[in-house]
């Protein structure tokens, strides 16, 4: 009798641990599982955090970052990568070198610089190296408005500013999705009707994607979830623009289904939840 083997789509998340399970590598793994992919993980740092704040960050040594990646590479096929928190210059330099193992694979980079509660997650002196050595090597960069502002060193207050920003970012990296969720806070602190994200890929013009605003405070980890969902679709062979559209749809559905979830004491922003 022939034995049957099951093929899996294996995705590696490289980033930080969130003890509260809402963001970081934990959110990535839950997203991969929800979309029927097999999740692998490599940690750059560990955080002690709950639904209210980050109390401590522990950076892992770069040699250990290397060991984690090498032991996976020698064993398993990895079909796509999602990168989150890189935290410092040493991890960026090391990861830039290690990306040679994933040259022809989709890589989605969510350039996390601070937590949703405002704690810095990337050292200031690491920004230039991040731009020079990571951005050119990824398939898609997914900054939110504050991250796009830091990467371009220019404030974003309007949708036109988002278009200017995406042209600047597209000189640094092959494709960009700027997540527009923060723009209303900058404008007038009003509840928006829609969330508008802007996408630009090589040799194309920028394209807006709109979705209905979901009125929920459970938004911790939405950035991680969106970029992980996009990574899953890319790993399955879906073209880039289609992967972005499907990833956005996945996130919106999740936010709607968890609109009234209440997890943790004194919640500032609750987590997204799966299943
Ligand atoms: O949501 C961004 C993010 C990513 N990774 C880790 C985090 C956070 C936000 O808190 O803690 C580990």
């Amino acid at each position: 009798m022939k034995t049957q083997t099951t093929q899996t789509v294996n995705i590696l998340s490289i980033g930080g641990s969130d003890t509260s399970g809402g963001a970081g590598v934990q959110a990535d793994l839950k997203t991969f599982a929800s979309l029927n992919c097999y999740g692998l993980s490599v940690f750059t740092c560990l955080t002690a955090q709950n639904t209210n704040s980050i109390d401590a960050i522990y950076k892992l040594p770069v040699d250990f970052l290397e060991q984690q990646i090498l032991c996976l590479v020698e064993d398993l096929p990895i079909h796509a990568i999602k990168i989150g928190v890189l935290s410092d210059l040493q991890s960026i330099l090391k990861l830039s070198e290690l990306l040679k193992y994933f040259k022809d694979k989709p890589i989605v980079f969510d350039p996390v610089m601070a937590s949703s509660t405002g704690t810095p997650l990337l050292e200031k002196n690491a920004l230039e190296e991040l731009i020079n050595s990571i951005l050119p090597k990824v398939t898609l960069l997914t900054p939110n408005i504050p991250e796009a502002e830091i990467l371009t060193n220019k404030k974003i207050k309007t949708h036109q500013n988002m278009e200017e920003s995406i042209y600047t970012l597209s000189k640094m990296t092959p494709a960009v999705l700027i997540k527009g969720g923060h723009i209303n806070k900058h404008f007038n602190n009003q509840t928006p009707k829609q969330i508008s994200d802007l996408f630009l890929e090589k040799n194309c013009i920028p394209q807006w994607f709109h979705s209905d605003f979901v009125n929920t405070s459970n938004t911790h980890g939405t950035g991680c979830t969106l970029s992980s969902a996009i990574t899953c679709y890319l790993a399955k062979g879906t073209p880039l623009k289609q992967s972005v559209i499907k990833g956005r749809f996945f996130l919106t559905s999740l936010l709607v289904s968890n609109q009234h979830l209440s997890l943790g004491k004194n919640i500032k922003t609750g987590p997204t939840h799966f299943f």
Side-chain angles (χ1 to χ4, degrees):
M1 202 175 83
K2 260 193 185 171
T3 52
Q4 276 197 332
T5 55
T6 306
Q7 298 293 327
T8 52
V9 175
N10 305 333
I11 308 186
L12 171 60
S13 162
I14 302 173
S17 161
D18 170 3
T19 43
S20 77
V25 167
Q26 285 86 343
D28 298 349
L29 293 175
K30 292 177 199 180
T31 308
F32 301 160
S34 301
L35 291 169
N36 205 17
C37 292
Y38 186 84
L40 306 160
S41 55
V42 161
F43 288 98
T44 55
C45 68
L46 311 175
T47 66
Q49 72 177 288
N50 56 26
T51 55
N52 201 31
S53 62
I54 296 190
D55 293 350
I57 302 175
Y58 179 75
K59 282 186 236 149
L60 292 164
V62 281
D63 289 350
F64 185 61
L65 173 68
E66 181 167 32
Q67 274 178 324
Q68 293 176 80
I69 292 182
L70 292 183
C71 85
L72 291 176
V73 165
E74 71 181 31
D75 183 37
L76 297 152
I78 292 174
H79 300 109
I81 298 183
K82 187 257 160 171
I83 306 172
V85 174
L86 289 178
S87 68
D88 63 12
L89 189 59
Q90 288 73 25
S91 326
I92 289 168
L93 289 167
K94 182 51 80 184
L95 184 66
S96 163
E97 183 194 318
L98 293 168
L99 286 180
K100 65 176 181 242
Y101 293 108
F102 311 106
K103 266 200 173 120
D104 54 343
K105 304 290 182 241
I107 303 175
V108 177
F109 179 33
D110 191 27
V112 180
M113 294 178 192
S115 73
S116 35
T117 51
T119 306
L121 291 166
L122 175 75
E123 284 180 0
K124 281 210 172 86
N125 70 347
L127 186 66
E128 198 180 326
E129 200 58 46
L130 187 90
I131 292 173
N132 292 337
S133 64
I134 304 290
L135 264 50
K137 295 181 182 166
V138 306
T139 312
L140 175 69
L141 178 75
T142 61
N144 57 26
I145 300 265
E147 289 155 358
E149 288 179 332
I150 292 170
L151 288 167
T152 59
N153 198 21
K154 214 163 175 198
K155 283 272 163 219
I156 299 173
K157 289 201 173 0
T158 62
H159 286 129
Q160 183 169 350
N161 292 162
M162 272 174 83
E163 292 188 358
E164 291 152 8
S165 174
I166 211 162
Y167 277 117
T168 308
L169 290 168
S170 71
K171 294 191 183 106
M172 306 174 181
T173 196
V176 186
L177 176 73
I178 304 183
K179 297 166 287 184
H182 289 78
I183 206 158
N184 295 284
K185 278 193 194 150
H186 280 267
F187 268 149
N188 47 22
N189 234 354
Q190 276 177 3
T191 306
K193 286 201 171 56
Q194 284 198 317
I195 295 294
S196 302
D197 300 340
L198 186 60
F199 173 65
L200 179 57
E201 60 184 326
K202 263 217 155 37
N203 305 322
C204 294
I205 55 165
Q207 183 166 0
W208 286 99
F209 295 126
H210 307 283
S211 49
D212 287 343
F213 175 75
V214 182
N215 198 3
T216 175
S217 56
N218 293 322
T219 55
H220 175 60
T222 46
C224 304
T225 302
L226 175 62
S227 44
S228 293
I230 295 171
T231 314
C232 290
Y233 293 117
L234 286 172
K236 293 177 189 181
T238 309
L240 183 56
K241 187 166 103 182
Q242 214 49 36
S243 294
V244 170
I245 293 169
K246 282 167 154 278
R248 289 182 84 259
F249 184 75
F250 175 81
L251 177 63
T252 306
S253 316
L254 206 67
L255 287 172
V256 170
S257 64
N258 292 294
Q259 209 164 355
H260 304 296
L261 174 80
S262 173
L263 201 72
K265 278 194 247 170
N266 308 318
I267 310 167
K268 276 190 191 152
T269 47
T272 47
H273 182 45
F274 298 74
F275 307 115

